[in-house]
Amino acid sequence: MRLRNHPKSIIFTLILIGAIAYTYSWTYTDYGRLDYRAAVSLHLLSFERPYKPDPNSDFEFELPINLIYAFSGLLPKADMARTADVEIAGDGGPIPARVYWPQSLSAESTPPALIVYFHGGGFMVGSVDIFDPLARSIAKATESIVLSVDYRLAPAHPYPAAVNDAYSALQWAAANAGELGADGNKLIVAGDSAGGNLATVTALQAKDRNGPAITAQILYYPVTDLSAKIYPSTTHFIDGYGLSTKARIAFNTSYIGHIADPTHPYISPLYAENLSSMPPALIVTAGFDPLTDGVNAYIKRLKESGVNVTAQHYSDTIHGFMSVGLFSQQKDALEATRTFLLQAL
């Protein structure tokens, strides 16, 4: 009797159940189960739009957009004790950067580590402002001071501009750690995607140039191989998983299109001749990421070289998940980062 009195509620409930069942079917793929939130975002919140990164160039490409990143940006950010924008001297001019001091620090605290962080974006997009929530989250989770670097972007500034800026930022961090309130003997490099490439390349440069000394590296789904090599993951997740083939080709073209040999170790660290004496590494990967097999090849090479590697794999999520506070995997990876640093330091 009650059901007959509420036909609209019954219809709405049935539609809702049907919609949930239908969208949940998107989590079933040929390569395993995909996180429901990631699946919905890929199907309902993703699109491409023409993007011209350099107004002085004719270069244009289809930039993949997933609105879940924008929605995640609306979440409350981790509170900091304070932040400050700084400029770092570089060979191409001043490099903007932002320093984050977490609230956990006090005058009586032991000087914390200083994390030099490089944002993702295919070497062509992204900024300190866009990745501000992630930088704050890293500072809070690790109770470390974070220096987030606005390195130069392609195509206006192709390789080696970003690499040079990254190393300049490390040198500045080493020279100014004490003034920032950090321990200069606890320098960490970190980054996600293209920024992960810059982080580990910076560690390579520091090794090759005898400093500054780096205590550890934190690499979230880093770009390790910019050659034309095809991996199973690049074939499986060629399109429809957030990092399209067209976008990856555009990123590579703008960044290293003028380079004859993309296997140079400062471009593709996987091919470095000698990886021994590299700092201990936390390397985070995603199951539905075209980069994952290249990253796994790098993990293998590091381990074979005697480097202590902590590999953290999230089999049910996508590239870029560290920038989505709505994903539980981000929270877990931040906790893994905290644990790793406690051990490394």
Side-chain angles (χ1 to χ4, degrees), residues 159-192:
Y159 174 86
V163 169
N164 292 345
D165 285 358
Y167 187 67
S168 294
L170 176 68
Q171 291 178 304
W172 186 91
N176 292 274
E179 185 177 339
L180 297 175
D183 186 339
N185 295 314
K186 297 177 182 177
L187 280 180
I188 317 295
V189 289
D192 65 289

Side-chain angles (χ1 to χ4, degrees), residues 96-100 115 117-119 128 131 135 146-150:
R98 184 171 297 158
V99 186
Y100 298 83
I115 299 176
Y117 167 72
F118 308 104
H119 66 76
V128 163
F131 284 81
V146 171
L147 173 71
S148 182
V149 183
D150 237 341

Side-chain angles (χ1 to χ4, degrees), residues 112-154:
L114 177 55
I115 299 176
V116 185
Y117 167 72
F118 308 104
H119 66 76
F123 306 99
M124 190 163 57
V125 296
S127 67
V128 163
D129 287 333
I130 291 173
F131 284 81
D132 177 79
L134 179 54
R136 288 170 175 266
S137 295
I138 293 171
K140 179 180 180 180
T142 62
E143 298 183 348
S144 301
I145 297 172
V146 171
L147 173 71
S148 182
V149 183
D150 237 341
Y151 56 88
R152 286 172 289 172
L153 300 174

Side-chain angles (χ1 to χ4, degrees), residues 313-336:
H313 182 62
Y314 296 91
S315 62
D316 61 348
T317 195
I318 56 176
H319 185 85
F321 75 88
M322 289 300 297
S323 292
V324 185
L326 297 168
F327 287 171
S328 59
Q329 295 90 341
Q330 186 221 48
K331 296 178 178 62
D332 189 87
L334 287 170
E335 183 58 33

Side-chain angles (χ1 to χ4, degrees), residues 6-206:
H6 299 86
K8 291 183 180 180
S9 298
I10 296 171
I11 293 172
F12 176 79
T13 301
L14 292 174
I15 291 173
L16 181 62
I17 292 172
I20 293 174
Y22 177 69
T23 55
Y24 195 78
S25 69
W26 295 337
T27 66
Y28 293 90
T29 77
D30 293 337
Y31 312 106
R33 288 286 299 279
L34 178 61
D35 179 272
Y36 180 72
R37 293 155 296 190
V40 170
S41 76
L42 291 172
H43 281 80
L44 297 181
L45 303 176
S46 295
F47 58 94
E48 294 182 343
R49 70 173 180 88
Y51 180 68
K52 195 173 184 179
D54 180 6
N56 298 317
S57 169
D58 292 332
F59 182 80
E60 186 176 277
F61 76 108
E62 294 294 316
L63 178 68
I65 306 290
N66 188 336
L67 292 180
I68 197 166
Y69 296 103
F71 293 152
S72 183
L74 299 176
L75 295 174
K77 299 178 182 179
D79 289 331
M80 296 288 103
R82 65 187 177 103
T83 66
D85 290 337
V86 298
E87 284 191 344
I88 297 167
D91 65 353
I95 306 164
R98 184 171 297 158
V99 186
Y100 298 83
W101 287 269
Q103 289 187 332
S104 57
L105 303 182
S106 67
E108 295 76 28
S109 300
T110 301
L114 177 55
I115 299 176
V116 185
Y117 167 72
F118 308 104
H119 66 76
F123 306 99
M124 190 163 57
V125 296
S127 67
V128 163
D129 287 333
I130 291 173
F131 284 81
D132 177 79
L134 179 54
R136 288 170 175 266
S137 295
I138 293 171
K140 179 180 180 180
T142 62
E143 298 183 348
S144 301
I145 297 172
V146 171
L147 173 71
S148 182
V149 183
D150 237 341
Y151 56 88
R152 286 172 289 172
L153 300 174
H157 304 286
Y159 174 86
V163 169
N164 292 345
D165 285 358
Y167 187 67
S168 294
L170 176 68
Q171 291 178 304
W172 186 91
N176 292 274
E179 185 177 339
L180 297 175
D183 186 339
N185 295 314
K186 297 177 182 177
L187 280 180
I188 317 295
V189 289
D192 65 289
S193 195
N197 172 284
L198 294 176
T200 199
V201 164
T202 299
L204 269 173
Q205 290 187 93

